[in-house]
């Protein structure tokens, strides 16, 4: 079912539609959890090939085994339980983030040089993509000026009154984007307790299922693809090599 999207923030958000003659974005969905080092190696190779003109732009949807990643701004004091899950250093921006089953990670590899060489605009459009996706399930995601990610207001519990439902972290090399977004569909929220997620101590984390919505990963994937195409242009199914 289609739902009207909440208002966009016009000062930041614009579509990142492809330039003339560009091919549709390849849309990949991993059938099984992908080890983090394997995903990084694959993403790095794809980004290099896209920059060289040897591969199409790609969105790769996947899940990881339980792990923590450290962005370029990660602080050691934000690791609460250092031995709980493996910790991986990564070249994306941001601080510590959890990845695991039930969380939809989308690695987005786009050629900004051929679209719009504006990283701030790209990040705002990723936020808008998540906000529109959430609105498909009647969840109003919101930006915050003082912290990254997408947030939802909570009226069903005391405390901060809002929780984080999606994280963003990107890297851009030769104007090709890497890393991307992570949307909490139905992860084990207790796993976030081993870190201070994204360095934010005052607020919690939530998921679509935690909000009381019987949403599947397949439901979310359909909404992600529909809203991606509205902002970034057409996609085409990935065809695995024979």
């Amino acid at each position: 079912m289609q739902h009207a999207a909440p208002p966009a923030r016009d000062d930041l958000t614009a579509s990142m539609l492809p330039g003339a003659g560009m091919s549709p974005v390849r849309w990949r969905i991993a059938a099984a959890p992908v080890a983090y080092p394997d995903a990084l190696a694959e993403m790095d190779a794809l980004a290099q090939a896209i920059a060289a003109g040897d591969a199409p732009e790609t969105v790769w949807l996947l899940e990881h085994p339980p792990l923590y990643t450290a962005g370029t701004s990660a602080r050691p004091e934000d690791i609460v339980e250092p031995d709980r899950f493996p910790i991986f250093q990564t070249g994306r921006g941001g601080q510590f983030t959890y990845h695991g089953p039930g969380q939809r990670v989308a690695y987005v590899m786009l050629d900004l040089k051929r679209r719009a060489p504006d990283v701030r605009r790209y990040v705002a459009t990723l936020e808008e993509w998540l906000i529109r996706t959430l609105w498909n399930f009647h969840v109003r995601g919101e930006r915050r000026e003082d912290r990254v990610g997408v947030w939802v207001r909570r009226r069903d519990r005391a405390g901060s009154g809002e929780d984080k439902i999606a994280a963003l972290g990107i890297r851009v090399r030769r104007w090709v984007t890497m890393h991307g977004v992570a949307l909490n569909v139905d992860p084990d929220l207790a796993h976030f307790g081993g870190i201070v997620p994204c360095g934010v101590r005052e607020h919690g984390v939530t998921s679509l299922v935690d909000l009381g919505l019987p949403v599947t990963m397949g439901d979310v994937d359909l909404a992600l693809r529909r809203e991606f195409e509205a902002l970034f242009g057409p996609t085409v199914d990935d065809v695995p090599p024979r």
Side-chain angles (χ1 to χ4, degrees), residues 46-99:
L46 273 171
Q48 291 187 53
I50 292 166
D54 296 330
E57 296 178 308
T58 300
V59 173
W60 187 15
L61 304 185
L62 51 80
E63 295 173 84
H64 287 303
L67 58 93
Y68 299 127
T69 65
T72 54
S73 301
R75 300 174 299 187
E77 61 268 29
D78 286 340
I79 284 287
V80 179
E81 298 179 42
D83 299 323
R84 187 168 189 178
F85 297 126
I87 301 172
F88 294 94
Q89 300 295 321
T90 177
R92 63 159 175 81
Q95 301 186 40
F96 283 105
T97 300
Y98 167 76
H99 294 312

Side-chain angles (χ1 to χ4, degrees), residues 14-59:
S15 65
M16 298 282 290
L17 296 173
M22 293 182 67
S23 300
V25 176
R26 181 171 56 179
W27 194 262
R28 297 177 57 181
I29 302 178
V34 180
Y36 194 72
D38 295 343
L40 287 187
E42 177 73 7
M43 180 167 50
D44 184 73
L46 273 171
Q48 291 187 53
I50 292 166
D54 296 330
E57 296 178 308
T58 300
V59 173

Side-chain angles (χ1 to χ4, degrees), residues 95-169:
Q95 301 186 40
F96 283 105
T97 300
Y98 167 76
H99 294 312
Q103 181 189 71
R104 177 51 89 207
V105 174
Y107 290 132
V108 184
M109 289 152 278
L110 300 180
D111 187 348
L112 296 189
K113 190 173 184 180
R114 299 182 65 189
R115 289 174 174 265
D118 185 334
V119 175
R120 184 168 178 261
R121 177 178 169 186
Y122 170 67
V123 170
T125 310
L126 287 181
E127 291 175 334
E128 183 68 15
W129 178 32
L130 289 166
I131 289 168
R132 292 187 182 198
T133 297
L134 289 168
W135 196 244
N136 281 262
F137 309 104
H138 298 288
V139 173
R140 189 177 187 90
E142 299 179 355
R143 299 176 175 89
R144 292 290 178 264
E145 293 291 344
D146 60 338
R147 54 190 187 273
V148 298
V150 175
W151 301 78
V152 294
R153 298 179 187 271
R154 301 298 301 266
R155 296 181 176 86
D156 58 340
R157 65 177 64 172
S160 68
E162 63 182 37
D163 288 335
K164 189 172 190 175
I165 196 167
L168 292 85

Side-chain angles (χ1 to χ4, degrees), residues 152-216:
V152 294
R153 298 179 187 271
R154 301 298 301 266
R155 296 181 176 86
D156 58 340
R157 65 177 64 172
S160 68
E162 63 182 37
D163 288 335
K164 189 172 190 175
I165 196 167
L168 292 85
I170 71 162
R171 181 181 182 182
V172 179
R173 187 172 61 198
R174 296 175 61 188
W175 286 111
V176 174
T177 64
M178 302 171 66
H179 300 276
V181 304
L183 175 59
N184 296 335
V185 180
D186 188 20
D188 185 339
L189 296 179
H191 288 179
F192 287 86
I195 57 172
V196 178
C198 299
V200 179
R201 299 177 182 274
E202 299 82 7
H203 305 286
V205 292
T206 189
S207 69
L208 287 167
V209 171
D210 182 55
L211 292 172
L213 298 167
V215 176
T216 68

